[in-house]
């Protein structure tokens, strides 16, 4: 994915402000929310793949392993927790490359199934996921009510 390079987060990154701010650029989580999520069981900075153009972060793929109490290691389901690309780098295949790196990482962890959640109105994301073999599994409706 030239001129970009990828690197995985490191355990020492879990509270590093520069690492956390790289993630903040492409999602609406606060630093505190990211620290909390990285500290959850089955979650680690090593699960985050970052893409760079020189030293500027331009995208990320945050993976996660969902496992339950009675499962043997590797029996869980992988999850693409978040995928984000800097708006100035969209439409160039970077999201696809990041997703493929994330899927490869989860496969090396011994997982056979990966799930993700997407807003059905995000047509670009839906097209990407379908092109890589993802199929709708469950649908959720989100309701909203304005309180006047």
């Amino acid at each position: 994915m030239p001129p970009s390079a990828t690197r995985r987060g490191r355990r020492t990154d879990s509270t590093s402000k520069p690492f956390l701010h790289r993630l903040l650029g492409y999602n609406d989580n606060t630093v505190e929310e990211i620290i909390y999520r990285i500290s959850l069981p089955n979650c680690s900075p090593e699960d985050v793949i970052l893409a760079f153009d020189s030293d500027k972060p331009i995208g990320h793929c945050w993976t996660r392993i969902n496992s339950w109490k009675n499962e043997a290691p590797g029996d869980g389901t992988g999850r693409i927790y978040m995928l984000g690309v800097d708006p100035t780098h969209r439409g160039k295949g970077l999201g696809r490359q990041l997703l493929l790196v994330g899927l490869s990482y989860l496969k090396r962890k011994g997982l056979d199934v990966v799930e993700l959640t997407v807003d059905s109105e995000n047509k670009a994301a839906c097209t990407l996921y379908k092109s890589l073999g993802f199929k709708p599994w469950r649908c959720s409706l989100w309701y909203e009510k304005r309180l006047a």
Side-chain angles (χ1 to χ4, degrees), residues 90-102:
R90 291 182 184 159
K92 301 174 185 174
L94 182 59
R96 173 181 291 275
Q97 291 296 324
L98 281 165
L99 181 56
L100 288 170
V101 172

Side-chain angles (χ1 to χ4, degrees), residues 12 14 20 35-36 38 41 71 77 80 85 94 135 143 145:
T12 55
S14 62
L20 298 172
I35 289 171
Y36 170 74
I38 288 175
E71 288 180 329
T77 300
I80 300 300
V85 174
L94 182 59
K135 300 195 180 335
Y143 290 88
K145 176 180 173 41

Side-chain angles (χ1 to χ4, degrees), residues 65-68 70-78 109-113:
I65 298 172
N66 298 334
S67 62
W68 311 104
N70 299 328
E71 288 180 329
D75 284 349
T77 300
K109 293 281 192 177
L111 302 170
D112 295 324
V113 176

Side-chain angles (χ1 to χ4, degrees), residues 13 19 25 35 63 68 85 87 92 108 113 118 122 124 144 146:
D13 288 334
F19 173 77
I35 289 171
T63 65
W68 311 104
V85 174
K92 301 174 185 174
R108 283 192 311 277
V113 176
V118 63
N122 186 341
E144 178 180 289
R146 297 242 180 241

